[in-house]
Amino acid sequence: MSFKFADPKNDKERHVVRKARYRLSDFWKTTEPSEGFIITGGKEDEQIWGLYHAVEDYIRRKQRPVVILHNNQNLDGVLRQNLLLQFPDLHYDRVGGIHKNYMPFDGMSKRSVVSCIKNQCRNIGGINELSVGQYMDSLLSILEEYKTSNALCYISELCEASDEEIIELSERAGLNQITRNGIQMNTGAGMEVREMIKGLQKSFSEICNLREKGWINIGRFMKQGTGNRVLSLCIGSADTNQMLMALRDELMLLNQEEFLLIMYDIGINEKNGLGELLGNTQNKFALGICSAEVAGMFSGNSVEYFAIARARIGKWMILSYRDARAASRISDLFASYMMEQTVEVKAPKKPWQFVFAKAPGKAKVKMEVLEPGEICEIGYRNAILYGHSGVELLFVTKQLVY
């Protein structure tokens, strides 16, 4: 397989062909560990092993947490077993399947929970956020006074009581009139809050169980002491948008934290707010995306959502696409990603690196479209690997060694 590039000096095509075996683990060491990546196409085992090496390298070099949102039941078996071999002290939390140990809002501050509920209002629309905020603040003040966690299950239990009963509880606890007014003056908001809490409970029911011990959520996970840790959230529910919206809110609160966020075949759209999460410049996380067909993850305006994600992406691993239409979509995304970019040209550090111009300095580089047919022709355990660190570019085709 060959790739065609426009020579920045004489506009003649230059061809690069590489067919030697290539150790996959080395690929992730070619750029900064804080840069994101995309793994797309191929068979499930190829995707999972590519992801394993990416996570392993990130933990080894960065020693920061990893959060994985996925819907793949086979992922944890490969990832957990092999990561523990490399890092015996690794703390690996699994949520989903038989592990129904997630509890939204547990351990979060009152202000953070109110913020999450108001964000739910904003996404639903047609709800008075101020009134909802005041009502929620009063509910949480009551839980706080009774030394009860802000966990979703306890908020839900309190919401089962009538407003009159809730006010009576606040009076019994000796809370001030402002807290009581938050309930009394916002009865309409109380109905909206009850509907949202009921919806959240339904959404989280597949990963949340009151009888499960050792509750966890993203906030609690981040507060754990060990540096090497992974939180794997397997989301298999058919009703995921409200759940993902709540998870988005928890992740948005981590704007001072450095971590790797991986989305494995999790849809990114306006309903679950994940596009907004990617575009939030305050968040310091690196982004990993893994999918059988990455263009399909960006529903709605694919180009817009992908443009947001690609700002965090520094690496590509493109595996074989058997569907020509899907290959065409990835071809469009891939070509637009590198079309005409000014780069700093440096001498190659390794023999397999291809430099666009021999003389050092800045050069205008144009890449011709990677044809869908070329993507469909990639063999099993072969890939198109692409990485950049801002000053170096790499296009190589190699047979992968896992």
Side-chain angles (χ1 to χ4, degrees):
M1 186 185 301
S2 66
F3 298 93
K4 302 173 184 178
F5 301 94
D7 188 294
K9 289 189 174 181
N10 57 26
D11 289 331
K12 289 182 180 178
E13 290 182 348
R14 302 176 70 174
H15 295 256
V16 186
V17 182
R18 297 287 187 273
K19 292 187 178 179
R21 289 167 67 82
Y22 187 90
R23 190 162 293 282
L24 181 58
S25 56
D26 292 336
F27 174 60
W28 302 107
K29 299 171 186 174
T30 58
T31 58
E32 291 299 315
S34 58
E35 287 187 340
F37 60 86
I38 286 179
I39 302 170
T40 182
K43 298 188 178 184
E44 184 182 274
D45 67 314
E46 294 178 291
Q47 294 168 28
I48 291 176
W49 276 105
L51 184 58
Y52 159 70
H53 283 293
V55 173
E56 188 253 353
D57 182 69
Y58 181 86
I59 293 174
R60 185 179 304 284
R61 294 205 283 160
K62 201 73 174 174
Q63 295 185 331
R64 300 300 301 157
V66 178
V67 177
I68 309 173
L69 305 181
H70 67 99
N71 60 4
N72 188 310
Q73 296 290 341
N74 301 320
L75 181 67
D76 283 320
V78 175
L79 229 56
R80 184 174 180 275
Q81 180 180 353
N82 287 279
L83 286 173
L84 285 172
L85 288 174
Q86 295 294 326
F87 310 102
D89 62 338
L90 179 73
H91 194 90
Y92 195 107
D93 285 303
R94 286 175 290 178
V95 174
I98 62 170
H99 305 281
K100 295 189 177 184
N101 51 346
Y102 200 89
M103 183 53 69
F105 311 147
D106 185 35
M108 287 172 61
S109 69
K110 178 167 72 172
R111 182 178 176 181
S112 296
V113 177
V114 171
S115 174
C116 289
I117 294 298
K118 287 171 75 174
N119 279 339
Q120 295 272 329
C121 292
R122 197 173 298 122
N123 281 277
I124 293 169
I127 299 174
N128 189 318
E129 286 181 42
L130 179 61
S131 298
V132 164
Q134 291 172 346
Y135 193 94
M136 277 301 304
D137 192 271
S138 294
L139 284 184
L140 297 173
S141 294
I142 294 169
L143 290 177
E144 186 178 50
E145 194 62 29
Y146 281 95
K147 295 181 170 38
T148 304
S149 162
N150 290 335
L152 177 64
C153 60
Y154 297 131
I155 298 173
S156 176
E157 191 175 335
L158 187 56
C159 282
E160 289 177 7
S162 66
D163 284 352
E164 291 75 16
E165 290 170 321
I166 292 172
I167 291 168
E168 186 182 332
L169 274 174
S170 68
E171 289 174 343
R172 202 180 303 163
L175 291 168
N176 59 31
Q177 186 63 43
I178 295 173
T179 302
R180 294 198 290 276
N181 284 348
I183 303 297
Q184 206 161 16
M185 308 294 289
N186 296 294
T187 53
M191 295 173 63
E192 300 288 358
V193 166
R194 285 175 173 84
E195 283 302 309
M196 278 189 286
I197 295 299
K198 192 183 296 182
L200 280 169
Q201 274 203 309
K202 179 185 175 185
S203 295
F204 277 91
S205 61
E206 290 196 12
I207 62 172
C208 178
N209 190 327
L210 290 179
R211 291 172 290 184
E212 191 81 26
K213 294 181 180 178
W215 288 344
I216 193 168
N217 54 37
I218 293 170
R220 281 204 179 280
F221 166 76
M222 285 294 177
K223 291 174 184 175
Q224 291 170 351
T226 175
N228 292 344
R229 56 197 191 276
V230 175
L231 173 60
S232 170
L233 271 162
C234 186
I235 301 166
S237 171
D239 180 25
T240 59
N241 278 335
Q242 195 166 14
M243 182 203 300
L244 287 171
M245 200 190 303
L247 295 176
R248 183 278 313 264
D249 289 342
E250 291 193 27
L251 287 162
M252 289 280 258
L253 294 168
L254 303 174
N255 53 29
Q256 298 305 314
E257 299 280 353
E258 275 191 79
F259 63 100
L260 173 61
L261 174 64
I262 296 170
M263 298 183 192
Y264 192 140
D265 277 335
I266 295 293
I268 297 171
N269 57 57
E270 68 278 0
K271 291 182 180 178
N272 58 39
L274 293 181
E276 182 185 341
L277 172 67
L278 301 186
N280 188 325
T281 55
Q282 293 182 339
N283 286 104
K284 295 181 178 179
F285 63 79
L287 175 65
I289 293 177
C290 188
S291 175
E293 206 260 277
V294 72
M297 287 181 64
F298 299 90
S299 58
N301 187 339
S302 295
V303 176
E304 179 186 336
Y305 288 127
F306 189 78
I308 294 171
R310 77 181 187 190
R312 298 176 181 267
I313 298 301
K315 287 181 175 294
W316 286 77
M317 176 183 292
I318 303 179
L319 302 157
S320 180
Y321 270 56
R322 297 304 174 201
D323 180 352
R325 186 177 296 178
S328 180
R329 284 195 293 267
I330 191 66
S331 172
D332 291 342
L333 291 174
F334 186 72
S336 65
Y337 183 69
M338 273 305 301
M339 194 64 93
E340 196 156 331
Q341 189 171 14
T342 301
V343 298
E344 189 77 27
V345 177
K346 285 191 172 184
K349 293 181 179 179
K350 294 184 179 179
W352 42 259
Q353 284 182 312
F354 174 73
V355 183
F356 291 94
K358 292 180 180 179
K362 290 189 176 180
K364 205 81 167 179
V365 176
K366 292 183 179 180
M367 188 198 81
E368 291 192 356
V369 175
L370 184 63
E371 295 296 334
E374 293 180 291
I375 298 174
C376 292
E377 290 168 9
I378 301 171
Y380 179 59
R381 290 202 172 184
N382 283 262
I384 298 167
L385 304 176
Y386 158 64
H388 76 87
S389 59
V391 294
E392 294 169 353
L393 299 174
L394 160 69
F395 277 87
V396 183
T397 305
K398 293 285 182 177
Q399 183 177 352
L400 301 177
V401 181
Y402 296 130

